[in-house]
Amino acid sequence: ILGNQEVVQLTAVLCGVGLEENPLPEGNREKFMYYPLLLVKGTVALSDTLICWIQNHFDCKVSSMAVSPYELSWMVAMWSGSTTDPVHRSKPVQLVYSVPKRCEGISRITYTIQPDDCLRLWKCIHQSDSDDFTAEEVTDFIKAVEGHFYDLFHVKLSVSQTI
């Protein structure tokens, strides 16, 4: 607690995702749980402490995972189009872009988009009642978001973007 305000020092989510193939050996699948994803937001020291605690108490291995910009685009599009879960709709989408070192005075650009704006954009791109969507829709969604930023500030957020 900082003053009268509570401050969250660490946020962590341990979750399973739909894997087509369970990586555990056949004989161990009923004995062990497999949670392939631990999302942690906090200082390095607190994150390391949490990871050590998990590894010691659950006799497991936690390792980092690199997520490509393409995979992140899928996640943003999926969460932006989530109309059935009010928790997703209540939080803005925040995209963080790193800036080349030759640009002095700025190291990153944080672009926050309100949830209703994301949902409205997603509905323009994904014109189907189905929860399934295509790679083309994801690409169009990200291009539209980055294109809007370009229209406002004349800054290209993605090297691969053509405007």
Side-chain angles (χ1 to χ4, degrees):
I1 299 179
L2 187 61
N4 291 338
Q5 187 176 346
E6 288 187 28
V7 177
V8 176
Q9 297 286 325
L10 179 80
T11 304
V13 178
L14 180 64
C15 57
V17 294
L19 294 176
E20 291 181 21
E21 192 175 308
N22 189 331
L24 295 173
E26 227 13 88
N28 292 332
R29 290 184 184 171
E30 292 182 19
K31 298 176 192 171
F32 296 99
M33 294 296 291
Y34 179 73
Y35 292 103
L37 195 56
L38 172 65
L39 302 172
V40 181
K41 179 181 178 184
T43 65
V44 173
L46 285 175
S47 298
D48 288 346
T49 302
L50 173 66
I51 290 169
C52 283
W53 183 86
I54 288 172
Q55 290 180 152
N56 290 332
H57 283 78
F58 296 103
D59 190 27
C60 66
K61 173 73 174 130
V62 177
S63 59
S64 12
M65 178 177 102
V67 179
S68 73
Y70 178 74
E71 292 165 327
L72 286 173
S73 297
W74 273 93
M75 289 181 213
V76 169
M78 179 177 65
W79 289 326
S80 297
S82 176
T83 58
T84 58
D85 188 356
V87 172
H88 286 136
R89 284 193 315 225
S90 66
K91 298 187 182 204
V93 171
Q94 191 173 67
L95 304 173
V96 180
Y97 294 84
S98 58
V99 177
K101 291 185 183 195
R102 66 180 177 268
C103 298
E104 293 181 23
I106 186 168
S107 61
R108 68 180 176 185
I109 295 172
T110 303
Y111 183 19
T112 303
I113 308 154
Q114 294 306 312
D116 291 340
D117 296 333
C118 276
L119 185 58
R120 193 171 25 262
L121 176 60
W122 179 249
K123 285 182 176 181
C124 290
I125 291 168
H126 181 74
Q127 298 179 358
S128 167
D129 291 334
S130 170
D131 287 337
D132 297 333
F133 51 92
T134 65
E136 182 181 352
E137 289 173 319
V138 170
T139 301
D140 290 347
F141 178 78
I142 294 300
K143 280 184 178 179
V145 166
E146 291 176 346
H148 177 47
F149 190 89
Y150 180 81
D151 290 343
L152 292 173
F153 302 106
H154 299 286
V155 173
K156 290 185 180 181
L157 294 172
S158 177
V159 176
S160 62
Q161 180 182 14
T162 55
I163 293 183

